[in-house]
Amino acid sequence: MKYQELANKIKKNIEEGLYRDTEKLPTEENLVEQYGVSKYCVRNAISILVEFGLVYPVQGSGMYIRDSKREGCLSLRNTRGVTEELAGHTVKTKVVHLEKIPATEKVAKRMKCKLGTPVYYIIRARSVDGEPLSVEYTYYNQKIVHVIDKKIAEGSLFGYIKNDLKLSIGFADKILRCDKLTQETAELLGLATGDPALIIEDDAYLSNGKMFNASVVFYNYKIARFFELAEMR
Amino acid sequence: MKYQELANKIKKNIEEGLYRDTEKLPTEENLVEQYGVSKYCVRNAISILVEFGLVYPVQGSGMYIRDSKREGCLSLRNTRGVTEELAGHTVKTKVVHLEKIPATEKVAKRMKCKLGTPVYYIIRARSVDGEPLSVEYTYYNQKIVHVIDKKIAEGSLFGYIKNDLKLSIGFADKILRCDKLTQETAELLGLATGDPALIIEDDAYLSNGKMFNASVVFYNYKIARFFELAEMR
DNA sequence: TAGTGGTCTAGACCACAAA
DNA sequence: TTGTGGTCTAGACCACTAT
C-alpha cells in the first residue's frame, strides 16, 4: 500500500528532524508532487500520523508536528503486545501456570464460546529491567490457537499468533479500572496485599470477528504508565 | 458534511436494530445507491463507525456489527467532558477551590506558557447519582479562557469553552496511572488515605495547537471504569 | 466465479487561516 | 487574496471471502 509506505517515510522524516525549522509538514500538494502519488494517498498517509498523534491538522494553515509525552509509557492502543512494545528493555516473562481446561460456564461466557470448549488458562508474570511490571491471567480459545506450550508462553503470544500461526488480529475491547491487590497477585508483583493496582481487562478478536483471547492484567502501580490520545472534532 | 450525516443515520439504524437479522451493514455499493452519495462518503461514514467501535470490517465479506461492553464506562477518548458524557445521571460538581494566579515556574512548564501568565487554578469534586466519582486539580490559561467564575466551573468547562466562547478544542494527551490517595483527596472522595486511585493527567489543546488546560483527575476506584478500543491492523 | 471491501487516480469545489 | 486543508464525485482495478 502506497499510503502506508508514505506514512512511514514521513514518520521517519519527522523523527530525523527534517521539518524541525517550521515544525510542520510540506503541503499536501507538495507531497503529491514530491512522491508522485495522488492526494488520496497523501491524505491517507497523514491521517495515520494524526491518529498516531504525531501531527495535528489546522485547516487553512497546515499539518503541525506534535510533541507528546509518551516516553516511558505503554500504549493502550498498542497493536503488538507488550514484549514488542518494550523492545530495548529487558523484558522477562515467567509462566506461573499453564493448563488446558474445558471452559466452565463462566469462562465460556467470557470467551463467547460453547461450554466445554478447550481453552488454555495461563498466568504470566512480567518484569522490565528486573522490576516486576505485571501479572496476567489469560484464556486462549484452543479451537483457534491450537498449541501453546511453556516455551511459547514465555515469548510474545500475540507475536506467535500473528507471525507463526499467520492469524490476523483485528481488534480488542479494553476496560480499565483500579483496585486493591489480592495476596496472590501482590506476591507476584513484589508488592503488599491491598496496594493499588491498575487493571486492564482485555477481549481480543481476530479480523474475522472471532474472539480468541480474554485476559485480566494487574500492573505495578509504581512503574506502569499508559499513554492515550484523544481527538476532539 | 455528508459523510458525518450518513454516519449518524447508519448509527441510528444500528441502534434501532435495523440490521439485527444479518448483524452486518448493507454493502458499500448498496449504501451508495440508497443514499445517493459517492463511495468516498460511504467509506468515510463507515470509518467513523469503525473508529467508534460500532462495526468492524472483514475484507471480501462485509461490515459486521460489533457489540461492546462500554455500558457504565467512561470513555478515554471522550470528546465532550464528563458532564455531558454522563447525561441521564445526576452529575454534581462542587467547586472546592477557584483562584487566578500567575504561573509559577512549575505551572508555566506544565502549561507551556510564560512565567507569570495568569492561570485559573481550580479544584472540583464530582459525584454521580450521589456517589463521589472524582477530584480534579486543573489549570486553565487565562489568556485563552478569559473568565471562569464559580458558576461556570460548576458546569461543564469544556462545554462552556466550545459553546459559549466558540473556541475549537482540538486534541488531548492523557497519561494514566494508579497510586495511593493522599489524605486531602481521599476525604473529598469519601475514601481512606492510602486507598487506590485511578489517575488521569490530561493536557488539552485547541485546534490551533495552543494548550489551554492541564489537569490531574483522581477517580474513585470503587466506581470508575474506563472503556477503550484498539484496532490492530 | 461472484460478491464485497480496499487502494488509487484525476479533478472540481468548499472552508478556513494568514498576510 | 492566496495558500492550504477538507469534502465530494466518478470510475478503474486489486485483494480477499464464500461458494
Side-chain angles (χ1 to χ4, degrees):
Chain A
M1 297 169 309
K2 279 192 188 177
Y3 70 82
Q4 186 57 260
E5 283 167 32
L6 180 53
N8 294 336
K9 281 180 194 166
I10 298 173
K11 189 180 168 201
K12 207 175 166 188
N13 287 344
I14 292 172
E15 280 159 2
E16 287 171 356
L18 190 61
Y19 312 125
R20 196 163 289 154
D21 48 343
T22 54
E23 284 299 305
K24 55 195 277 194
L25 301 187
T27 65
E28 290 182 352
E29 201 187 351
N30 207 310
L31 290 165
V32 165
E33 288 168 13
Q34 200 172 319
Y35 292 95
V37 296
S38 69
K39 186 168 168 174
Y40 168 90
C41 288
V42 168
R43 288 187 63 81
N44 269 216
I46 289 176
S47 80
I48 289 174
L49 304 182
V50 170
E51 202 175 343
F52 197 67
L54 240 56
V55 300
Y56 63 89
V58 179
Q59 185 174 162
S61 179
M63 304 291 321
Y64 292 82
I65 294 169
R66 182 170 166 187
D67 60 332
S68 76
K69 298 184 171 176
R70 69 179 65 198
E71 279 161 48
C73 291
L74 295 162
S75 165
L76 281 172
R77 281 188 271 164
N78 165 30
T79 64
R80 298 163 293 177
V82 179
T83 316
E84 286 161 59
E85 190 175 19
L86 289 170
H89 294 266
T90 309
V91 179
K92 278 190 187 149
T93 303
K94 187 180 162 192
V95 178
V96 178
H97 183 92
L98 193 163
E99 64 173 336
K100 189 163 78 172
I101 53 170
T104 60
E105 195 169 343
K106 198 176 155 189
V107 172
K109 198 180 169 192
R110 178 87 207 280
M111 293 287 290
K112 298 182 182 173
C113 66
K114 283 183 195 154
L115 193 70
T117 303
V119 296
Y120 286 102
Y121 175 51
I122 308 169
I123 304 175
R124 302 196 292 178
R126 250 199 208 102
S127 68
V128 178
D129 299 332
E131 286 218 76
L133 171 70
S134 65
V135 175
E136 177 189 75
Y137 300 83
T138 188
Y139 294 92
Y140 282 86
N141 187 331
Q142 193 264 334
K143 295 262 179 179
I144 297 172
V145 184
H146 303 299
V147 179
I148 300 178
D149 59 26
K150 204 183 162 198
K151 183 97 182 177
I152 292 167
E154 274 169 354
S156 166
L157 274 166
F158 273 41
Y160 164 68
I161 288 166
K162 276 198 295 190
N163 306 328
D164 299 326
L165 302 184
K166 308 286 183 199
L167 293 173
S168 171
I169 297 175
F171 52 89
D173 282 359
K174 290 168 196 279
I175 291 174
L176 276 87
R177 56 192 177 86
C178 178
D179 209 341
K180 293 179 183 175
L181 283 169
T182 61
Q183 190 191 338
E184 182 199 359
T185 310
E187 275 174 13
L188 288 165
L189 283 172
L191 295 173
T193 306
D195 272 356
L198 183 56
I199 304 167
I200 301 185
E201 297 179 24
D202 206 314
D203 292 355
Y205 299 79
L206 297 179
S207 291
N208 62 16
K210 288 201 180 109
M211 184 170 173
F212 68 96
N213 170 48
S215 62
V216 182
V217 188
F218 294 77
Y219 287 92
N220 182 340
Y221 76 102
K222 289 185 178 171
I223 59 172
R225 257 155 193 60
F226 286 85
F227 180 81
E228 183 55 299
L229 302 163
E231 308 292 328
M232 308 194 165
R233 305 162 233 192
Chain B
M1 297 171 309
K2 280 191 188 178
Y3 70 81
Q4 185 57 261
E5 283 167 33
L6 179 53
N8 294 336
K9 280 179 194 165
I10 298 173
K11 190 182 167 200
K12 205 174 165 189
N13 287 344
I14 293 172
E15 281 159 2
E16 287 172 355
L18 190 61
Y19 311 125
R20 197 163 289 154
D21 49 342
T22 55
E23 282 300 303
K24 54 194 278 196
L25 300 187
T27 66
E28 291 183 352
E29 202 187 348
N30 209 309
L31 290 166
V32 165
E33 288 167 12
Q34 200 172 322
Y35 291 95
V37 295
S38 69
K39 186 168 169 176
Y40 168 90
C41 288
V42 169
R43 288 187 63 79
N44 269 217
I46 290 177
S47 80
I48 288 174
L49 304 182
V50 170
E51 202 174 342
F52 196 67
L54 239 57
V55 300
Y56 62 89
V58 179
Q59 186 174 162
S61 179
M63 304 291 323
Y64 292 83
I65 294 169
R66 181 171 165 186
D67 60 333
S68 75
K69 298 185 173 177
R70 68 180 65 200
E71 278 160 50
C73 291
L74 295 163
S75 165
L76 281 173
R77 282 188 270 164
N78 163 31
T79 64
R80 297 163 294 176
V82 179
T83 315
E84 287 162 57
E85 190 174 19
L86 289 170
H89 294 266
T90 309
V91 179
K92 277 193 190 149
T93 304
K94 187 180 163 194
V95 178
V96 178
H97 182 91
L98 192 164
E99 64 172 335
K100 188 162 79 172
I101 53 169
T104 60
E105 194 169 343
K106 200 176 157 189
V107 172
K109 199 181 168 190
R110 179 86 207 281
M111 293 288 289
K112 297 183 184 173
C113 66
K114 283 182 197 156
L115 192 70
T117 303
V119 297
Y120 286 101
Y121 175 51
I122 307 169
I123 305 175
R124 301 196 291 178
R126 243 193 217 109
S127 69
V128 177
D129 298 333
E131 285 220 76
L133 172 69
S134 65
V135 176
E136 177 189 74
Y137 301 83
T138 187
Y139 293 93
Y140 282 86
N141 187 331
Q142 192 265 332
K143 294 264 180 178
I144 296 172
V145 184
H146 302 299
V147 179
I148 301 179
D149 59 26
K150 204 182 162 197
K151 184 98 184 179
I152 292 166
E154 274 170 354
S156 167
L157 274 166
F158 273 40
Y160 165 67
I161 288 166
K162 276 197 296 189
N163 306 328
D164 300 325
L165 302 185
K166 308 288 183 196
L167 293 172
S168 171
I169 297 174
F171 52 89
D173 283 358
K174 289 167 196 279
I175 291 174
L176 276 87
R177 57 192 176 86
C178 178
D179 208 341
K180 293 178 183 174
L181 282 170
T182 60
Q183 192 193 336
E184 183 200 357
T185 310
E187 276 174 12
L188 288 166
L189 283 172
L191 296 173
T193 306
D195 271 357
L198 184 55
I199 304 166
I200 301 187
E201 297 178 24
D202 206 312
D203 294 354
Y205 298 79
L206 297 179
S207 290
N208 62 17
K210 289 200 181 108
M211 183 170 173
F212 69 95
N213 170 49
S215 61
V216 182
V217 188
F218 295 77
Y219 287 91
N220 182 342
Y221 76 101
K222 290 185 177 171
I223 59 173
R225 257 158 191 58
F226 287 85
F227 179 80
E228 183 56 300
L229 303 161
E231 307 294 329
M232 308 196 165
R233 302 163 235 194

